[in-house]
Amino acid sequence: MAAGTAVSRATGMIRQTLQAAALGTGLLATTYTTAGVVPMSVYTLLIGGALNSVLVPQLVRARAEHPDGGHAHEQRLVTLVLSVLAVGTVLAVWAAPQIVAVYASDGAKDHAAFGLTVVFARFLLPQIFFHGLYFILGQLLNARQKFGAMMWTPVLNNLVLIAVFGLYIALLTGPREVADITAGPVRLLGIGTTAGIVVQAVALIPFVRASGFRFRPRFDWRGAGLRTSLTAARWTLLLVLANLAAMTVVTHLAGAADRQLPTAGVGFTAYSYAQTIWMLPQSLVTVSLVTALLPRMSRAVAEHRLDDLRGDLSRALRASGVVIVPAGFFFLAFGPQTAHLLFAHGAVDAASAAPAGHMLQALGLGLIPFSAQYLLLRGFYAFEDTRTPFWTAAQIAAVTIALAVACHLLLPPRWAVTGMAAAYAVAYAAGLLLTAVRLRRRLHGRLDGRRLCRTYGKLAAAAAAAALLGHLAATGIVGTGAPALTLLAGGLTMAAAFWALARLLRIGELRGLPLPGLRRA
């Protein structure tokens, strides 16, 4: 899984670098980026939240308890999911202007950007159905303990988009203003982007068939035991609404910064790029761990083995921390250099790449509580408790919204979205504390807290010292004018120093990077 995710994220970064080179980081790019947020948001609101957190425990339980091994339950569930997605996709395409209006302003001054966002959204909204197809097929595989295919198929999506943006750059003179783009490039970007998701979803079908699943539409939902899934999904829907509320506010306010400074790269596209880089360690390590652990933790709860659940959570937190903690300090130390190296090409110069680097710095240390909170929430999902995660998400969203609005009102446009990035990190630090306290109560007052605090304290000390040494090494060669060399020198110095300090501090989890840590007691 980690290997598949690594290749997926690597090709994803190539895709995003080409996207920045083609469209830049200003208002024109934000029309496409905002339109790209819309289908995933609608999908998550329709059924995505339930798929990601509720249905795996339900599928595992059905396979263990139903006389037919859960096959009928799976067929009903897939039929229900695809039916909801089909109807929802058609309605979303029809209501594209109203949906886009939630994320972007429409006025006399902004109408051209708003109209272009709506056009992009109509091309991209069919992705809703294929996002859902991909995730429901992936969850069927996960319930069968087959995790690799779901991690590898996004590579196909990235390859399609690499070809699309490469073609865009090769054949077209990339416009920098919204008014300059024509129908041909819009069709290329819109159709090509949706085609990537279609390929990603359809590629899972052979793997699902090989696992033994055969789809037969079943509409006999009444009395089939789906009520439990739907009841649990009620709280997940509210959780999704809380997260979407925070994301929508940040998207809207960040878009306002783009409209004020349309070519400076200080708004939503820069924030989106920075967040994608920031999420990379989380995707490589934490998501892989959670994907493997959730079915296992669900079985532990079903069999009343709370010590095993507690042990799995502790090992996952300590194993992932070996990567997540130094990654957070790396982003703090080298955010601007990373953004310059990846995005200062084509339509983006050094000045317009700099804001994304500062946003990456602001997000930096927030990666640690974000990753840990993501892991701990899966403890509640193993209990099929979706109510507690909702209340936690609502509180995180409230803090995020309050701080984002404050940044919008109090900071100049150049720094407002950087402040929102820092607000996101602060909100998840508060969310981690809330989640840990509540899960500790659920686990009868024990969460292996001392061991976790000791490990994370050592990791933070080693990473902070290593980041400082790396920064000093990079500063010594800044005058060379070679950002790749600067980042390479700083990164290698930090990596060597962290390894040496971690060994000196006897951080045992360093020997199991990262998945082998799950096999140690």
Side-chain angles (χ1 to χ4, degrees):
M1 285 191 300
T5 305
V7 175
S8 173
R9 298 303 171 178
T11 52
M13 289 310 305
I14 296 171
R15 179 206 75 197
Q16 193 157 64
T17 299
L18 287 173
Q19 179 180 332
L23 299 177
T25 56
L27 182 59
L28 173 60
T30 291
T31 62
Y32 173 81
T33 308
T34 302
V37 167
V38 171
M40 179 56 81
S41 299
V42 176
Y43 154 73
T44 306
L45 184 61
L46 278 174
I47 204 162
L51 281 177
N52 291 337
S53 58
V54 175
L55 297 185
V56 169
Q58 294 289 336
L59 290 171
V60 170
R61 188 180 296 275
R63 287 179 63 80
E65 297 178 355
H66 292 192
D68 66 345
H71 294 299
H73 181 82
E74 290 174 341
Q75 290 171 346
R76 294 185 186 100
L77 196 56
V78 172
T79 304
L80 174 63
V81 168
L82 296 184
S83 298
V84 170
L85 289 169
V87 174
T89 299
V90 171
L91 292 176
V93 173
W94 173 72
Q98 291 75 21
I99 297 173
V100 170
V102 176
Y103 296 90
S105 298
D106 182 19
K109 182 180 177 182
D110 308 318
H111 185 68
F114 177 85
L116 181 57
T117 307
V118 172
V119 173
F120 275 129
R122 289 199 189 278
F123 280 112
L124 302 186
L125 279 166
Q127 293 179 13
I128 295 169
F129 180 84
F130 294 98
H131 277 305
L133 178 63
Y134 168 74
F135 279 107
I136 188 60
L137 295 180
Q139 299 296 25
L140 291 171
L141 290 170
N142 291 345
R144 289 164 166 75
Q145 300 287 301
K146 297 182 183 298
F147 305 111
M150 195 177 183
M151 301 300 180
W152 281 97
T153 47
V155 174
L156 301 176
N157 176 30
N158 290 330
L159 292 176
V160 171
L161 288 175
I162 287 170
V164 168
F165 287 116
L167 189 63
Y168 183 98
I169 293 170
L171 299 181
L172 302 167
T173 301
R176 299 200 63 177
E177 302 289 341
V178 169
D180 297 334
I181 195 166
T182 59
V186 172
R187 284 195 296 269
L188 171 64
L189 294 172
I191 296 172
T193 303
T194 295
I197 297 296
V198 174
V199 171
Q200 174 180 308
V202 172
L204 279 183
I205 293 175
F207 295 97
V208 174
R209 288 183 60 83
S211 73
F213 176 76
R214 296 292 183 271
F215 177 59
R216 181 169 66 86
R218 296 192 62 151
F219 297 92
D220 52 334
W221 300 330
R222 185 181 296 275
L226 293 177
R227 182 180 296 274
T228 303
S229 298
L230 297 176
T231 300
R234 175 187 59 188
W235 289 104
T236 303
L237 174 61
L238 293 174
L239 182 149
V240 167
L241 284 171
N243 288 334
L244 284 179
M247 186 192 72
T248 301
V249 169
V250 171
T251 302
H252 201 95
L253 297 179
D258 273 318
R259 290 188 292 274
Q260 289 180 278
L261 299 172
T263 61
V266 299
F268 180 62
T269 293
Y271 179 84
S272 176
Y273 289 170
Q275 197 171 54
T276 300
I277 300 169
W278 179 72
M279 290 283 289
L280 183 60
Q282 159 87 357
S283 303
L284 288 173
V285 179
T286 311
V287 173
S288 296
L289 288 170
V290 164
T291 303
L293 278 176
L294 187 54
R296 175 166 146 174
M297 291 192 298
S298 300
R299 287 194 299 272
V301 170
E303 296 167 8
H304 307 290
R305 295 182 284 108
L306 294 188
D307 284 341
D308 289 345
L309 171 62
R310 189 183 297 112
D312 280 344
L313 285 171
S314 176
R315 282 188 290 273
L317 283 165
R318 289 181 283 113
S320 63
V322 176
V323 175
I324 295 297
V325 174
F329 280 93
F330 176 86
F331 294 143
L332 179 63
F334 301 108
Q337 294 90 334
T338 303
H340 188 177
L341 179 65
L342 291 175
F343 304 129
H345 311 283
V348 182
D349 56 20
S352 55
H358 295 139
M359 293 173 200
L360 183 56
Q361 282 184 305
L363 287 165
L365 296 184
L367 181 65
I368 302 169
F370 179 82
S371 176
Q373 198 258 356
Y374 181 88
L375 268 168
L376 289 180
L377 278 183
R378 271 58 199 172
F380 293 107
Y381 292 141
F383 283 101
E384 298 184 27
D385 174 7
T386 53
R387 180 174 180 172
T388 304
F390 157 68
W391 288 112
T392 303
Q395 289 159 327
I396 292 173
V399 174
T400 301
I401 290 170
L403 293 177
V405 171
C407 291
H408 174 70
L409 295 176
L410 301 176
L411 296 177
R414 166 63 181 85
W415 294 103
V417 184
T418 302
M420 294 177 204
Y424 192 79
V426 170
Y428 270 93
L432 173 61
L433 180 61
L434 290 171
T435 303
V437 169
R438 289 166 177 168
L439 185 58
R440 185 172 181 268
R441 292 173 186 163
R442 192 67 184 261
L443 294 175
H444 301 162
R446 292 171 52 213
L447 195 59
D448 204 13
R450 290 184 180 180
R451 189 177 185 183
L452 289 169
C453 289
R454 184 169 61 250
T455 298
Y456 271 76
K458 290 180 179 180
L459 287 170
L468 178 59
L469 292 173
H471 182 73
L472 293 174
T475 302
I477 60 170
V478 165
T480 64
L485 182 60
T486 301
L487 190 60
L488 180 63
L492 289 177
T493 301
M494 180 180 174
F498 175 75
W499 182 271
L501 290 168
R503 294 293 297 270
L504 183 64
L505 293 173
R506 298 181 180 179
I507 301 175
E509 288 75 14
L510 197 67
R511 295 189 299 269
L513 277 176
L515 292 175
L518 286 175
R519 295 192 288 268
R520 288 187 171 85

